[in-house]
Coordinates of all heavy atoms in Angstrom, one line a residue:
G127 N -17.2 -28.3 29.9 CA -16.6 -29.6 29.7 C -17.0 -30.6 30.9 O -17.7 -30.2 31.8
P128 N -16.5 -31.8 30.8 CA -16.8 -32.8 31.8 C -15.9 -32.5 33.1 O -14.8 -32.1 32.9 CB -16.5 -34.1 31.2 CG -15.5 -33.8 30.1 CD -15.8 -32.4 29.6
P129 N -16.4 -32.8 34.3 CA -15.6 -32.5 35.5 C -14.4 -33.4 35.4 O -14.4 -34.6 35.0 CB -16.6 -32.9 36.6 CG -17.6 -33.8 36.0 CD -17.8 -33.3 34.6
A149 N -24.6 -27.1 36.1 CA -25.6 -26.7 35.1 C -26.6 -25.6 35.7 O -26.9 -24.6 35.0 CB -26.5 -27.9 34.7
Q162 N -25.2 -30.1 30.0 CA -25.7 -31.5 30.2 C -25.5 -32.0 31.6 O -24.6 -31.5 32.3 CB -25.2 -32.4 29.1 CG -25.3 -31.9 27.7 CD -26.7 -31.6 27.3 OE1 -27.6 -32.5 27.2 NE2 -27.0 -30.3 27.1
A163 N -26.2 -32.9 32.0 CA -26.1 -33.4 33.4 C -24.7 -33.8 33.7 O -24.1 -34.6 32.9 CB -27.1 -34.6 33.6
G164 N -24.2 -33.4 34.9 CA -22.9 -33.7 35.3 C -21.7 -32.9 34.7 O -20.6 -33.0 35.2
Q165 N -22.0 -32.1 33.7 CA -21.0 -31.3 33.2 C -20.8 -30.0 34.0 O -21.7 -29.6 34.7 CB -21.3 -31.0 31.7 CG -21.2 -32.2 30.8 CD -21.6 -32.0 29.4 OE1 -22.2 -31.0 29.1 NE2 -21.4 -33.0 28.6
V166 N -19.7 -29.3 33.7 CA -19.3 -28.1 34.5 C -18.8 -27.0 33.6 O -18.5 -27.2 32.4 CB -18.2 -28.4 35.6 CG1 -18.7 -29.4 36.6 CG2 -16.9 -28.9 34.9

Side-chain angles (χ1 to χ4, degrees):
Q162 305 306 292
Q165 294 174 347
V166 296

